[in-house]
Amino acid sequence: AQSVAQPEDQVNVAEGNPLTVKCTYSVSGNPYLFWYVQYPNRGLQFLLKYITGDNLVKGSYGFEAEFNKSQTSFHLKKPSALVSDSALYFCAVSPFSGGYNKLIFGAGTRLAVHP
Amino acid sequence: AAGVIQSPRHLIKEKRETATLKCYPIPRHDTVYWYQQGPGQDPQFLISFYEKMQSDKGSIPDRFSAQQFSDYHSELNMSSLELGDSALYFCASSLDQGGKTQYFGPGTRLLVL
């Protein structure tokens, strides 16, 4: 079965410190990979995606993600966390099924950045 | 920049009633997706449309149906509502399919009593 795993329910980090939110996936073929962020009572906001090319992808708000094919991982990173980064982060994959259509989401990781 | 518009934002229904959720994609976007997010859960894909044709189908109950109209807006029709249908329903749109970035609307929060 196709799945996305975010092993940490919550990540706590001090403001100014680097952060990592982990994501691994179990999908056949070469899926497209995405990160979205959700603030309370808001929709999902796109951060970044990986389709092909460089393994390090840069996205919005200073976030980046590293694709590792051998480990089937796509971890989200930021060099210096801000309190305003506190939100719910979802990793998602788009498997090829007659085209890349639906997104399969992980369970989400709540990021808490403390002053 | 224009975003995905969903209406209504909140909806309260009784069991066995029907509900219609509307989604207006970003201008020029021709692909629409519907997702259901239960309390404390990740979004689950329901169905998608490309150029007014159904392009993919996920875990959408038979009680639900959807379509995309000539102006590319989409409607999700839900009948015989059950308590378990209470959730946040997201619509997303993209310019073409094929891995294009999906941009999400603010969601419709449905409460079934």
Side-chain angles (χ1 to χ4, degrees), chain B residues 3 13 17 20 26 46 62 66 73 75 83 102 108 112:
Chain B
K13 291 286 186 179
E17 286 191 322
T20 297
I26 292 171
L46 293 178
D62 292 340
H73 94 273
E75 295 183 4
L83 297 178
Q102 296 182 26
T108 293
V112 181

Side-chain angles (χ1 to χ4, degrees), chain B residues 46-64:
Chain B
L46 293 178
I47 196 167
S48 64
F49 294 87
Y50 168 64
E51 283 290 346
K52 293 154 278 184
M53 298 288 290
Q54 181 180 308
S55 55
D56 202 355
K57 192 173 182 180
S59 50
I60 183 170
D62 292 340
R63 299 177 289 107
F64 295 5

Side-chain angles (χ1 to χ4, degrees), chain A residues 23-67:
Chain A
C23 172
T24 59
Y25 60 92
S26 177
V27 174
S28 59
N30 298 307
Y32 295 168
L33 306 168
F34 299 81
W35 276 100
Y36 284 85
V37 59
Q38 186 175 32
Y39 295 95
N41 301 313
R42 300 279 295 277
L44 296 160
Q45 295 181 32
F46 168 74
L47 282 179
L48 49 80
K49 71 178 179 182
Y50 174 84
I51 294 179
T52 187
D54 290 340
N55 290 341
L56 187 64
V57 179
K58 294 188 182 296
S60 306
Y61 312 117
F63 283 93
E64 57 190 29
E66 187 168 12
F67 169 64

Side-chain angles (χ1 to χ4, degrees), chain A residues 32 36 38 49 100-101 103 106, chain B residues 35 37 42 97 99 101-102:
Chain A
Y32 295 168
Y36 284 85
Q38 186 175 32
K49 71 178 179 182
Y100 293 92
N101 295 314
L103 292 174
Chain B
Y35 293 84
Q37 186 178 29
D42 55 288
Q97 41 181 4
T101 300
Q102 296 182 26

